[in-house]
Amino acid sequence: MKFAIDAFGGDNAPEAVIRGSIDAMQLNDDFSIIFTGDESAIYALLNNYEYDKSRVEVVHAPDIITCEDQPTLAVRRKKESSIVKALHLVADGKADCFISAGSTGAVLAGATLIVHRIPGVKRPALAPVLPTLKGPMMLIDCGANVDCTPEYLLQFAYMGSAYMSGVLGIERPRVGLINNGTEEGKGNALTKEAYSLLKAAKGINFVGNCEARELMSGDYDVIVCDGFVGNAVLKTLEGAVASIKSSKRASVGAMLSKNAFKALKTRMDYTEYGGAPLLGINGGIIKAHGSSDERAVCSAIGQARKLILGNVTNTISGLISREMEPQAGQ
């Protein structure tokens, strides 16, 4: 396997990206890395470590897409950027997966414009895997698609199920739909129609609506929603954990229940799960958190490894073409 890594993406790049990549290489020997970015800076950092040089390449990319850049315009104009260069490696078959902690908008736009969607996929979706009380759960979509149709949500369910099955080995992943009640008739026009599609869909283990209070219960393996709702949920969870860690009152509580808070912090630490796969693209894409440190980068590479070994892209392609042929033709 070969992974194209944006060495200059994220708040702590390039130091954390290089260090995390070297750490990941020490854990597994079945992949190699292609760094994209300013080659002199990359080699200067690599010289600080001992590593298998046969497993590392550097593609010079002198430009950087920042979070202030307009994503689509930047992808079209900054062709020498570390993001664009790395995405072309995936599109050209020279790398199996792209990993970046850089601009989320640029990664989304670039993946769609350069690598392209899997045939039949209407919209790619960002899908972080989050810890719950009973095990991992995928939230799809968490921000790539603010406005969705019921068909998009149905495809998200197929894509999320393919990932959880192929990467985490969960048989018949339980799919839930975020709604304001568990009853079938609850929700707005989008969720009501999506409910009907999910209930009738073949190849999906749809277990019904999921209220917000049930998100972390562990009773669902894939939770489907539009990107607006998903992003709000994700940011709320991150904010809740940050508040627990910083609040003086919570500190007193932590003294009384130290192990419980420690377990919660560990479960909700983004460095544990690395990043969010962008599903529906015709190649592996992992979007790491913008503030990723070396531990998070290492975890993101481990996630990329599982994504490729799990054959997720081909599985999604087969599911979409087989199960959603009528909708894909609409």
Side-chain angles (χ1 to χ4, degrees), residues 84-159:
V84 171
K85 286 271 193 176
L87 286 169
H88 274 294
L89 291 172
V90 176
D92 296 340
K94 296 177 181 178
D96 300 293
C97 190
F98 165 61
I99 302 158
S100 176
S103 165
T104 299
V107 170
L108 294 175
T112 304
L113 292 170
I114 297 169
V115 186
H116 304 302
R117 289 173 287 167
I118 294 171
V121 170
K122 294 178 180 293
R123 293 290 188 277
L126 275 172
V129 176
L130 305 175
T132 72
L133 296 175
K134 298 178 183 177
M137 171 271 291
M138 170 169 279
L139 178 67
I140 182 169
D141 177 33
C142 76
N145 305 279
V146 174
D147 297 308
C148 288
T149 69
E151 289 76 18
Y152 295 176
L153 299 189
L154 176 59
Q155 289 198 344
F156 296 168
Y158 277 117
M159 294 192 293

Side-chain angles (χ1 to χ4, degrees), residues 174-236:
R174 299 160 299 172
V175 177
L177 174 67
I178 292 184
N179 215 328
N180 64 338
T182 58
E183 300 87 352
E184 182 171 348
K186 284 285 187 177
N188 55 21
L190 172 64
T191 56
K192 287 178 181 178
E193 189 171 345
Y195 187 104
S196 297
L197 292 178
L198 289 164
K199 183 179 179 181
K202 299 178 181 178
I204 295 177
N205 181 20
F206 180 56
V207 295
N209 286 326
C210 170
E211 289 190 283
R213 63 186 176 187
E214 301 174 311
L215 289 173
M216 310 308 294
S217 66
D219 294 333
Y220 305 87
D221 302 305
V222 178
I223 294 182
V224 175
C225 58
D226 63 66
F228 183 91
V229 170
N231 191 260
V233 167
L234 187 63
K235 296 297 172 61
T236 299

Side-chain angles (χ1 to χ4, degrees), residues 60-79:
H60 184 51
D63 216 344
I64 298 174
I65 295 177
T66 70
C67 291
E68 286 72 37
D69 288 323
Q70 199 285 326
T72 302
L73 192 62
V75 168
R76 294 185 186 278
R77 291 184 175 178
K78 293 188 173 182
K79 299 184 183 299

